[in-house]
Amino acid sequence: MLIDFVLNGVRQNVETRPGESFLDVLRERCGITSLKSACSPQGQCGCCLALINGVPKTTCSMTPAFANGKHVLTLEGLPERERQDIGDAFASAAGMQCGFCIPGIALRAKVLTDENPAPTRQAIAEALDGHLCRCTGYVKIIDAVETLAAAKRGGHIPAPGSDGRVGQSLVRFGAVQMALGERPYVDDVMLPDMLHGALTLSPHARARVLKIDTRRARALPGVVRVATAADVPGERWYGMLYNDWPGFIAEGEETRYVGDVLAAVAAVDRQTARAAAELVDVTYEVLPPTLDALQALEPGARQINPAHDNLLGHSVVQRGDAEAALAASAQVVSGHWQTQRIEHLFLEPESAVAEPAPGGGLRMRSQGQGIFDDRRQVARFLGLPIEKIFIELMPNGGAFGGKEDMTVQAQTALLAHLTRRPVKLTLSRDESIRLHPKRHPIALDYTMGCDANGIFTAVKARMVGDSGAYGSVGAKVLERAAGHACGAYRVPHVDVQARAAYTNNPPCGAMRGFGVNQAHFALEACIDMLADKLGLDHWEIRWRNALSVGDTFTTGQVLEKAVGIRKTLQAIKPHWDAAVASGRAIGIACGVKNSGIGNGVVEFGKVRLVIERDGHITLYNGFTE
């Protein structure tokens, strides 16, 4: 179908492809990359906002035909002065973190402040209701919109500091470009002669793969290559800590969750690649999966992953005599808690671009949280020396732990290696949710005691975490849960065990808090129960037991400095008392989290400084932004 529309003042004639959304047309056919594809095609996150005949519309859920004959405006089409004001407003207010959602929000801010040059914060919040930001609490974003509105009323946009003086707020590097959508993410990259990739995923949590037939996929016009396990030149199994995750499931093997990859397709465009991936015919023998972590740990249970027995990790923390201390306690409470599997919902779906490099090597652009881990695993997968692989960290559109593991990097690298052409492979939102690791659901059994004054005596805890089909960093997550089992409080007697188990559920790995949140959930509930038994205020029982300098942490570490929990409790005390007096239903909880890897691991960082010919100094930093 041929559509005709005016884009940023320029008439466009585009022959659309089957299955394209209008967002696809704008991004891939017209080069408009300020619009981002995040929830496509649901139209729920606001990242793909454009003005259609002056009305804000999400374009991922829009057919190309809807735009026929209309005027379309994006950030790229605004007058330069207006663009600069928008960028400066968001930069000065620090109204961004990863930045992936901000161009859509910035365009919404333009519309709102055009219609109402003096919006209240409540009006701004309501206008942003259709925009999802996973990084922030929206406070700084609302500040930025207020700043933009003030500028339209003749006000001045504050200039953040730029000379690096101590105590001065510095503008975020590339903040203006980020706000305007000019800073490219992986899926914004376009290279000459580039192919597009797509994956065929298992629909079954557990099934034996009897046959993978790629003939129909290979016959589709526009398909350049279809790859399966048989095409992997190196080691097919990789992983963060264990080589227990295959880049492809081979014929004769079992799938282990619904995100396992059976085949990868490279084609001339995204729509053809996706259509071909659906044409890969896989014959399965569907088998009963193991979906319960406790069942997986029972004696004689079927081994789920051939690289490791079902007990992925077992962490033990013991101090003193918890049983005796509980027996002597004035009050004892017990309970069972179950946390859920949680999706990170970073707004940028996983994406990678790989291209052949001179000398038989490979260059990759990745949004992974650890490019050196990516490099190690890709080299293993392709059977190449590690020095032949160069991986560039691209801006990361949110991650929160969910992009530590490899997702599409290996398959993208293989397609580029086989075709000797650049390849880009980006997951859909549905595929992302199926494929990448989640927060661990953990079953927690806690027993906790205190004396007659509410001073804690002992904690006994047993935890079982569902790590899913592959290890990721699951053993370390449960290690964190065990090591933080007593939270921000003094507990003299501790008996904690935490186990991580393989199942046929989606893999679970790192997510903000990394196991600590789950342990705190059960612990804080126990503290409330003890307070209720004693008739103590919930703030007061926490104050009496809060850690101070010189106290001993869960693991036995003596805290030598910078223990801030008491200052924090003091700061919120007036607000707590006021809420209690008002009769509102309220709650209180405290948290503590380690910094760095910990657990005895020697940690180090490296930077490289280069004095350039023009006198500038370039700093190379190996950390994710």
Side-chain angles (χ1 to χ4, degrees), residues 36 48 163 173 318 387 412 452 502 570 575:
K36 307 301 180 187
C48 65
D163 62 5
F173 177 76
Q318 291 181 327
E387 59 270 17
T412 311
Y502 283 100
Q570 284 177 323
H575 306 283

PDB file of all heavy atoms in Angstrom, residues 36 48 163 173 318 387 412 452 502 570 575:
ATOM      1  N   LYS A  36      10.816   5.931  19.873  1.00  0.00           N
ATOM      2  CA  LYS A  36      11.416   4.669  20.279  1.00  0.00           C
ATOM      3  C   LYS A  36      10.367   3.565  20.314  1.00  0.00           C
ATOM      4  O   LYS A  36       9.191   3.794  20.625  1.00  0.00           O
ATOM      5  CB  LYS A  36      12.055   4.790  21.671  1.00  0.00           C
ATOM      6  CG  LYS A  36      13.038   5.947  21.808  1.00  0.00           C
ATOM      7  CD  LYS A  36      14.196   5.870  20.828  1.00  0.00           C
ATOM      8  CE  LYS A  36      15.150   7.041  21.006  1.00  0.00           C
ATOM      9  NZ  LYS A  36      16.199   7.078  19.959  1.00  0.00           N
ATOM     10  N   CYS A  48       6.737   6.260  21.603  1.00  0.00           N
ATOM     11  CA  CYS A  48       6.657   6.441  20.153  1.00  0.00           C
ATOM     12  C   CYS A  48       5.723   7.584  19.783  1.00  0.00           C
ATOM     13  O   CYS A  48       5.158   7.605  18.687  1.00  0.00           O
ATOM     14  CB  CYS A  48       6.185   5.147  19.489  1.00  0.00           C
ATOM     15  SG  CYS A  48       4.497   4.675  19.950  1.00  0.00           S
ATOM     16  N   ASP A 163      32.026  23.370  34.961  1.00  0.00           N
ATOM     17  CA  ASP A 163      33.476  23.464  35.139  1.00  0.00           C
ATOM     18  C   ASP A 163      34.004  22.520  36.203  1.00  0.00           C
ATOM     19  O   ASP A 163      35.192  22.538  36.529  1.00  0.00           O
ATOM     20  CB  ASP A 163      33.894  24.907  35.437  1.00  0.00           C
ATOM     21  CG  ASP A 163      33.278  25.443  36.725  1.00  0.00           C
ATOM     22  OD1 ASP A 163      32.613  24.660  37.428  1.00  0.00           O
ATOM     23  OD2 ASP A 163      33.474  26.643  37.018  1.00  0.00           O
ATOM     24  N   PHE A 173      26.166  14.348  30.959  1.00  0.00           N
ATOM     25  CA  PHE A 173      26.851  14.279  29.665  1.00  0.00           C
ATOM     26  C   PHE A 173      25.845  13.893  28.574  1.00  0.00           C
ATOM     27  O   PHE A 173      25.127  12.893  28.691  1.00  0.00           O
ATOM     28  CB  PHE A 173      27.982  13.244  29.729  1.00  0.00           C
ATOM     29  CG  PHE A 173      28.698  13.061  28.424  1.00  0.00           C
ATOM     30  CD1 PHE A 173      29.601  13.999  27.968  1.00  0.00           C
ATOM     31  CD2 PHE A 173      28.437  11.962  27.629  1.00  0.00           C
ATOM     32  CE1 PHE A 173      30.247  13.841  26.759  1.00  0.00           C
ATOM     33  CE2 PHE A 173      29.076  11.783  26.412  1.00  0.00           C
ATOM     34  CZ  PHE A 173      29.992  12.732  25.983  1.00  0.00           C
ATOM     35  N   GLN A 318      25.498 -18.805  60.005  1.00  0.00           N
ATOM     36  CA  GLN A 318      25.196 -19.237  61.376  1.00  0.00           C
ATOM     37  C   GLN A 318      26.084 -18.482  62.358  1.00  0.00           C
ATOM     38  O   GLN A 318      27.305 -18.444  62.188  1.00  0.00           O
ATOM     39  CB  GLN A 318      25.385 -20.747  61.538  1.00  0.00           C
ATOM     40  CG  GLN A 318      24.328 -21.558  60.786  1.00  0.00           C
ATOM     41  CD  GLN A 318      24.499 -23.061  60.965  1.00  0.00           C
ATOM     42  OE1 GLN A 318      25.619 -23.541  61.094  1.00  0.00           O
ATOM     43  NE2 GLN A 318      23.397 -23.789  60.963  1.00  0.00           N
ATOM     44  N   GLU A 387      40.657 -11.741  21.432  1.00  0.00           N
ATOM     45  CA  GLU A 387      41.146 -10.481  20.876  1.00  0.00           C
ATOM     46  C   GLU A 387      40.550 -10.195  19.497  1.00  0.00           C
ATOM     47  O   GLU A 387      40.687  -9.082  18.973  1.00  0.00           O
ATOM     48  CB  GLU A 387      42.666 -10.475  20.796  1.00  0.00           C
ATOM     49  CG  GLU A 387      43.269 -11.579  19.953  1.00  0.00           C
ATOM     50  CD  GLU A 387      43.567 -12.834  20.767  1.00  0.00           C
ATOM     51  OE1 GLU A 387      43.016 -12.972  21.891  1.00  0.00           O
ATOM     52  OE2 GLU A 387      44.354 -13.673  20.273  1.00  0.00           O
ATOM     53  N   THR A 412      23.010 -12.930  17.143  1.00  0.00           N
ATOM     54  CA  THR A 412      23.323 -11.848  16.208  1.00  0.00           C
ATOM     55  C   THR A 412      24.745 -11.990  15.687  1.00  0.00           C
ATOM     56  O   THR A 412      25.010 -11.822  14.483  1.00  0.00           O
ATOM     57  CB  THR A 412      23.150 -10.484  16.904  1.00  0.00           C
ATOM     58  OG1 THR A 412      21.889 -10.435  17.561  1.00  0.00           O
ATOM     59  CG2 THR A 412      23.243  -9.350  15.905  1.00  0.00           C
ATOM     60  N   ALA A 452      11.486  -9.113  76.453  1.00  0.00           N
ATOM     61  CA  ALA A 452      10.280  -8.405  76.895  1.00  0.00           C
ATOM     62  C   ALA A 452      10.298  -6.936  76.519  1.00  0.00           C
ATOM     63  O   ALA A 452       9.241  -6.291  76.482  1.00  0.00           O
ATOM     64  CB  ALA A 452      10.125  -8.563  78.405  1.00  0.00           C
ATOM     65  N   TYR A 502      17.119 -25.024  40.117  1.00  0.00           N
ATOM     66  CA  TYR A 502      16.713 -25.010  38.711  1.00  0.00           C
ATOM     67  C   TYR A 502      15.254 -25.485  38.600  1.00  0.00           C
ATOM     68  O   TYR A 502      14.819 -26.394  39.322  1.00  0.00           O
ATOM     69  CB  TYR A 502      17.572 -25.958  37.889  1.00  0.00           C
ATOM     70  CG  TYR A 502      18.957 -25.479  37.524  1.00  0.00           C
ATOM     71  CD1 TYR A 502      20.071 -25.911  38.243  1.00  0.00           C
ATOM     72  CD2 TYR A 502      19.152 -24.624  36.442  1.00  0.00           C
ATOM     73  CE1 TYR A 502      21.352 -25.503  37.883  1.00  0.00           C
ATOM     74  CE2 TYR A 502      20.426 -24.212  36.083  1.00  0.00           C
ATOM     75  CZ  TYR A 502      21.519 -24.659  36.808  1.00  0.00           C
ATOM     76  OH  TYR A 502      22.781 -24.247  36.445  1.00  0.00           O
ATOM     77  N   GLN A 570      15.227   8.859  62.522  1.00  0.00           N
ATOM     78  CA  GLN A 570      14.953  10.131  63.176  1.00  0.00           C
ATOM     79  C   GLN A 570      14.304  11.124  62.204  1.00  0.00           C
ATOM     80  O   GLN A 570      13.389  11.868  62.569  1.00  0.00           O
ATOM     81  CB  GLN A 570      16.257  10.727  63.716  1.00  0.00           C
ATOM     82  CG  GLN A 570      16.761  10.054  64.987  1.00  0.00           C
ATOM     83  CD  GLN A 570      18.096  10.630  65.441  1.00  0.00           C
ATOM     84  OE1 GLN A 570      18.945  10.964  64.607  1.00  0.00           O
ATOM     85  NE2 GLN A 570      18.284  10.738  66.747  1.00  0.00           N
ATOM     86  N   HIS A 575       6.955  12.600  60.657  1.00  0.00           N
ATOM     87  CA  HIS A 575       5.975  12.224  59.642  1.00  0.00           C
ATOM     88  C   HIS A 575       5.229  10.957  60.059  1.00  0.00           C
ATOM     89  O   HIS A 575       4.019  10.830  59.839  1.00  0.00           O
ATOM     90  CB  HIS A 575       6.665  12.025  58.299  1.00  0.00           C
ATOM     91  CG  HIS A 575       7.494  13.205  57.872  1.00  0.00           C
ATOM     92  ND1 HIS A 575       6.938  14.357  57.361  1.00  0.00           N
ATOM     93  CD2 HIS A 575       8.843  13.428  57.915  1.00  0.00           C
ATOM     94  CE1 HIS A 575       7.892  15.229  57.088  1.00  0.00           C
ATOM     95  NE2 HIS A 575       9.059  14.685  57.412  1.00  0.00           N
TER      96      HIS A 575
END
